[in-house]
mmCIF file of all heavy atoms in Angstrom:
data_model
loop_
_atom_site.group_PDB
_atom_site.id
_atom_site.type_symbol
_atom_site.label_atom_id
_atom_site.label_comp_id
_atom_site.label_asym_id
_atom_site.label_seq_id
_atom_site.Cartn_x
_atom_site.Cartn_y
_atom_site.Cartn_z
ATOM 1 N N GLU A 13 158.275 163.613 -56.564
ATOM 2 C CA GLU A 13 158.754 164.777 -57.424
ATOM 3 C C GLU A 13 159.781 165.689 -56.675
ATOM 4 O O GLU A 13 160.728 166.125 -57.216
ATOM 5 C CB GLU A 13 157.597 165.508 -57.933
ATOM 6 C CG GLU A 13 156.772 164.826 -59.020
ATOM 7 C CD GLU A 13 157.446 164.698 -60.355
ATOM 8 O OE1 GLU A 13 158.266 165.564 -60.730
ATOM 9 O OE2 GLU A 13 157.126 163.631 -60.902
ATOM 10 N N LEU A 14 159.517 165.966 -55.426
ATOM 11 C CA LEU A 14 160.352 166.839 -54.628
ATOM 12 C C LEU A 14 161.777 166.152 -54.472
ATOM 13 O O LEU A 14 162.795 166.817 -54.724
ATOM 14 C CB LEU A 14 159.726 167.112 -53.280
ATOM 15 C CG LEU A 14 158.573 168.101 -53.209
ATOM 16 C CD1 LEU A 14 157.906 168.078 -51.797
ATOM 17 C CD2 LEU A 14 159.111 169.499 -53.416
ATOM 18 N N PHE A 15 161.769 164.943 -54.256
ATOM 19 C CA PHE A 15 163.061 164.176 -54.040
ATOM 20 C C PHE A 15 163.801 164.181 -55.433
ATOM 21 O O PHE A 15 164.957 164.399 -55.509
ATOM 22 C CB PHE A 15 162.748 162.801 -53.406
ATOM 23 C CG PHE A 15 164.049 161.960 -53.427
ATOM 24 C CD1 PHE A 15 164.992 162.290 -52.371
ATOM 25 C CD2 PHE A 15 164.376 161.004 -54.223
ATOM 26 C CE1 PHE A 15 166.129 161.540 -52.192
ATOM 27 C CE2 PHE A 15 165.496 160.230 -54.089
ATOM 28 C CZ PHE A 15 166.371 160.520 -53.086
ATOM 29 N N VAL A 16 163.131 163.687 -56.518
ATOM 30 C CA VAL A 16 163.777 163.517 -57.790
ATOM 31 C C VAL A 16 164.263 164.835 -58.270
ATOM 32 O O VAL A 16 165.329 164.929 -58.925
ATOM 33 C CB VAL A 16 162.788 162.888 -58.732
ATOM 34 C CG1 VAL A 16 163.238 162.916 -60.157
ATOM 35 C CG2 VAL A 16 162.475 161.411 -58.404
ATOM 36 N N SER A 17 163.591 165.838 -57.978
ATOM 37 C CA SER A 17 163.981 167.227 -58.445
ATOM 38 C C SER A 17 165.191 167.804 -57.505
ATOM 39 O O SER A 17 165.632 168.946 -57.912
ATOM 40 C CB SER A 17 162.742 168.277 -58.420
ATOM 41 O OG SER A 17 161.797 167.831 -59.270
ATOM 42 N N GLY A 18 165.459 167.119 -56.537
ATOM 43 C CA GLY A 18 166.617 167.620 -55.755
ATOM 44 C C GLY A 18 166.190 168.655 -54.649
ATOM 45 O O GLY A 18 167.181 169.399 -54.115
ATOM 46 N N LEU A 19 164.931 168.821 -54.432
ATOM 47 C CA LEU A 19 164.451 169.741 -53.494
ATOM 48 C C LEU A 19 164.414 169.306 -52.011
ATOM 49 O O LEU A 19 164.331 170.065 -51.089
ATOM 50 C CB LEU A 19 163.038 170.192 -53.911
ATOM 51 C CG LEU A 19 163.007 170.967 -55.183
ATOM 52 C CD1 LEU A 19 161.585 171.377 -55.499
ATOM 53 C CD2 LEU A 19 163.804 172.247 -55.170
ATOM 54 N N ASN A 20 164.608 168.043 -51.829
ATOM 55 C CA ASN A 20 164.808 167.401 -50.514
ATOM 56 C C ASN A 20 165.747 166.268 -50.654
ATOM 57 O O ASN A 20 165.909 165.589 -51.614
ATOM 58 C CB ASN A 20 163.317 166.662 -50.072
ATOM 59 C CG ASN A 20 162.520 167.808 -49.540
ATOM 60 O OD1 ASN A 20 162.929 168.797 -48.860
ATOM 61 N ND2 ASN A 20 161.182 167.576 -49.777
ATOM 62 N N ASN A 21 166.368 166.023 -49.388
ATOM 63 C CA ASN A 21 167.217 164.821 -49.317
ATOM 64 C C ASN A 21 166.386 163.696 -48.811
ATOM 65 O O ASN A 21 165.124 163.820 -48.789
ATOM 66 C CB ASN A 21 168.451 165.163 -48.306
ATOM 67 C CG ASN A 21 168.094 165.319 -46.987
ATOM 68 O OD1 ASN A 21 167.123 164.862 -46.428
ATOM 69 N ND2 ASN A 21 168.868 166.253 -46.300
ATOM 70 N N SER A 22 166.881 162.622 -48.393
ATOM 71 C CA SER A 22 166.104 161.419 -47.993
ATOM 72 C C SER A 22 165.066 161.632 -46.910
ATOM 73 O O SER A 22 164.000 161.081 -47.029
ATOM 74 C CB SER A 22 167.059 160.231 -47.773
ATOM 75 O OG SER A 22 167.691 160.541 -46.507
ATOM 76 N N HIS A 23 165.333 162.361 -46.023
ATOM 77 C CA HIS A 23 164.384 162.545 -44.867
ATOM 78 C C HIS A 23 163.952 163.906 -44.530
ATOM 79 O O HIS A 23 163.272 164.284 -43.534
ATOM 80 C CB HIS A 23 165.026 161.911 -43.625
ATOM 81 C CG HIS A 23 165.009 160.482 -43.573
ATOM 82 N ND1 HIS A 23 166.062 159.770 -44.173
ATOM 83 C CD2 HIS A 23 164.142 159.494 -43.051
ATOM 84 C CE1 HIS A 23 165.754 158.409 -44.125
ATOM 85 N NE2 HIS A 23 164.668 158.294 -43.296
ATOM 86 N N SER A 24 164.285 164.920 -45.393
ATOM 87 C CA SER A 24 163.886 166.217 -45.116
ATOM 88 C C SER A 24 162.631 166.693 -45.697
ATOM 89 O O SER A 24 162.027 166.062 -46.611
ATOM 90 C CB SER A 24 164.961 167.290 -45.607
ATOM 91 O OG SER A 24 165.026 167.363 -47.035
ATOM 92 N N GLY A 25 161.961 167.655 -45.059
ATOM 93 C CA GLY A 25 160.774 168.192 -45.579
ATOM 94 C C GLY A 25 159.473 167.430 -45.186
ATOM 95 O O GLY A 25 159.513 166.256 -44.613
ATOM 96 N N ASN A 26 158.315 168.069 -45.457
ATOM 97 C CA ASN A 26 157.051 167.402 -45.154
ATOM 98 C C ASN A 26 156.015 168.231 -45.897
ATOM 99 O O ASN A 26 156.168 169.194 -46.413
ATOM 100 C CB ASN A 26 156.779 167.493 -43.664
ATOM 101 C CG ASN A 26 157.168 168.914 -42.986
ATOM 102 O OD1 ASN A 26 156.409 169.817 -43.340
ATOM 103 N ND2 ASN A 26 158.242 168.930 -42.307
ATOM 104 N N MET A 27 154.845 167.608 -45.998
ATOM 105 C CA MET A 27 153.685 168.184 -46.707
ATOM 106 C C MET A 27 152.440 167.937 -45.941
ATOM 107 O O MET A 27 152.401 167.029 -45.161
ATOM 108 C CB MET A 27 153.531 167.358 -48.154
ATOM 109 C CG MET A 27 154.739 167.526 -48.915
ATOM 110 S SD MET A 27 154.436 166.680 -50.677
ATOM 111 C CE MET A 27 154.194 165.111 -50.081
#
Side-chain angles (χ1 to χ4, degrees):
E13 288 290 328
L14 287 167
F15 178 74
V16 169
S17 298
L19 295 174
N20 280 324
N21 64 33
S22 65
H23 285 81
S24 69
N26 44 72
M27 300 183 298

